[in-house]
Amino acid sequence: VQSRLELHLRAQGCALAPRAINNEYTSDDRVKLYNEGGVVAVTTRILTVDLLQDKIPAEKVSGIVVWDAHRVTDTTNEAFVLRLFRQKNTVGFVKGISDQPESFSFGFSKVEKVMKALFVTKLNLWPRFHVKVRSSLEPYPVDLVELQIEMNEGMRSVQ
């Protein structure tokens, strides 16, 4: 996923490659990376600490993309980070991405709850056959491998 993102960003004219911040970076290193700008992938835990300690210039952040948005609820760390972000930046975008649309159908008002936790008011559902989705997936075809196992005697008797 990261290599595809890098290719897409370079095609769009982004000079800095996306960087991933993990626990190996010191606080000072993270501040330096934040101030350089660009796309930064960071864990929720680190982002929470850095937002609480004002190490991120939140007013300069263009937006936040939340992967696995179907898992976000009012009590998750992601919702807390977004709450902190919205307190300091009211114009930055928030986008939630999920590859499990069926999870939004479980429970009562699941979509509304996720949208509320993400602080978003607009919902876009793009199926795989949508023109933009199909064109972005075509360069990366799925390799399907089918395996067939011979049935033993016990399996044949059950069938």
Side-chain angles (χ1 to χ4, degrees):
V1 171
Q2 186 174 358
S3 61
R4 286 189 224 162
L5 179 63
E6 285 180 25
L7 290 173
H8 179 72
L9 289 172
R10 286 195 182 123
Q12 299 295 321
C14 183
L16 294 172
R19 291 154 305 173
I21 294 178
N22 56 27
N23 62 344
E24 295 174 2
Y25 287 87
T26 66
S27 177
D28 293 335
D29 291 340
R30 294 195 310 265
V31 170
K32 183 180 173 191
L33 284 173
Y34 295 143
N35 288 324
E36 287 176 1
V39 177
V40 179
V42 61
T43 65
T44 308
R45 184 173 290 172
I46 292 172
L47 193 55
T48 302
V49 170
D50 290 347
L51 279 169
L52 287 171
Q53 295 179 348
D54 288 327
K55 294 187 179 189
I56 297 176
E59 63 281 350
K60 293 183 180 179
V61 175
S62 299
I64 294 179
V65 178
V66 179
W67 298 105
D68 294 333
H70 57 277
R71 295 184 179 165
V72 178
T73 65
D74 287 336
T75 59
T76 58
N77 291 336
E78 289 82 0
F80 183 64
V81 164
L82 292 172
R83 209 170 298 121
L84 293 172
F85 174 68
R86 276 292 173 231
Q87 287 174 357
K88 298 174 183 182
N89 184 333
T90 57
V91 295
F93 70 84
V94 174
K95 297 196 184 282
I97 299 173
S98 175
D99 63 349
Q100 297 183 13
E102 65 279 356
S103 66
F104 289 108
S105 63
F106 300 128
F108 183 71
S109 304
K110 175 75 177 198
V111 172
E112 291 86 353
K113 290 177 183 176
V114 169
M115 289 177 67
K116 181 181 172 190
L118 291 174
F119 294 92
V120 295
T121 57
K122 186 176 177 183
L123 174 67
N124 290 315
L125 300 173
W126 290 15
R128 292 180 77 82
F129 57 82
H130 189 278
V131 175
K132 286 185 180 180
V133 175
R134 189 173 349 129
S135 66
S136 68
L137 293 175
E138 280 177 356
Y140 310 101
V142 176
D143 292 331
L144 178 64
V145 177
E146 186 175 333
L147 301 175
Q148 190 171 7
I149 300 172
E150 287 288 326
M151 289 196 291
N152 60 28
E153 191 58 40
M155 294 167 116
R156 282 192 213 105
S157 67
V158 170
Q159 191 164 11

